[in-house]
Amino acid sequence: MRIKGLNDELIKQYITESLLILMESRKYEKITITEITNKAGVNRSSYYRHFETKEDIIRFYLMSIMHEYMDKYRQNGSPDFASYILQMFRTFAEHRKDLMLIHHNSLTYLFLDVLNTCFHFDDITLSTRDKQYEAAYHIGGIYNDMLLWMNHEMTETPEQMTASVLSFHPKGTFTLAAL
């Protein structure tokens, strides 16, 4: 049954939820757009109005997690690195089931695209070269820590992950201008 009268955000959410549900029982590459739209209750044209590829759905989902994280971090009001990284691990832990589906389907590489977008890496070209390296280092560190955590099936708690990161993180200035 088709659902009518939905706004764009709801359509994207239904499509995303449908893909993730389908991924619970089938491999990502075997899932068709028709299956996704049927499960979501939307027309195929609605899918193509919002997404070009199935990868775009995963990027949308990962971006929504990053927005959720950034909102929670800003509400916390604590600008220190420990709070920043702990909230990130906590937010991702809340989405463990879906993140593991994404990881087990070899789609974790899309998280790097999302991090580059969230931290405005492409916009940094107007800044100094040092800022470019700083952003690349930061983005790479987050990506690789998340990737390794997923390789470990996210068994460590967010607190354990934070303690690990804090044990080797350089004790320099920490700014969140990109957030």
Side-chain angles (χ1 to χ4, degrees), residues 92-177:
F92 275 82
E94 291 171 11
H95 297 274
R96 181 188 183 283
K97 181 181 135 231
D98 292 332
L99 288 172
M100 293 312 302
L101 279 174
I102 290 167
H103 185 65
H104 289 144
N105 280 275
S106 302
L107 297 164
T108 317
Y109 70 94
L110 296 170
F111 184 50
L112 187 57
D113 294 345
V114 169
L115 287 172
N116 282 324
T117 300
C118 286
F119 290 103
H120 310 286
F121 188 68
D122 294 336
D123 297 343
I124 295 175
T125 55
L126 303 175
S127 189
T128 67
R129 187 166 290 182
D130 285 346
K131 289 293 180 190
Q132 292 171 348
Y133 284 117
E134 179 184 2
Y137 179 83
H138 186 74
I139 291 165
I142 291 170
Y143 174 72
N144 282 304
D145 282 342
M146 290 293 178
L147 185 61
L148 189 55
W149 193 29
M150 288 182 217
N151 284 342
H152 295 164
E153 301 295 318
M154 297 175 78
T155 53
E156 298 89 352
T157 67
E159 292 75 16
Q160 290 170 319
M161 290 300 298
T162 300
S164 177
V165 169
L166 291 176
S167 74
F168 58 78
H169 183 265
K171 306 288 187 255
T173 340
F174 174 68
T175 60
L176 290 175

Side-chain angles (χ1 to χ4, degrees), residues 12-57:
K12 290 191 280 190
Q13 287 175 3
Y14 285 171
I15 290 170
T16 302
E17 289 170 11
S18 296
L19 175 57
L20 292 169
I21 289 168
L22 289 166
M23 287 171 63
E24 290 176 11
S25 59
R26 301 201 43 221
K27 284 289 190 190
Y28 169 83
E29 65 270 0
K30 301 287 186 192
I31 298 170
T32 66
I33 303 304
T34 301
E35 290 173 304
I36 296 168
T37 56
N38 286 344
K39 184 95 176 145
V42 300
N43 290 320
R44 211 173 153 85
S45 61
S46 294
Y47 167 86
Y48 285 110
R49 191 169 47 253
H50 299 289
F51 302 106
E52 290 182 25
T53 65
K54 292 188 298 185
E55 287 85 1
D56 289 341
I57 300 171

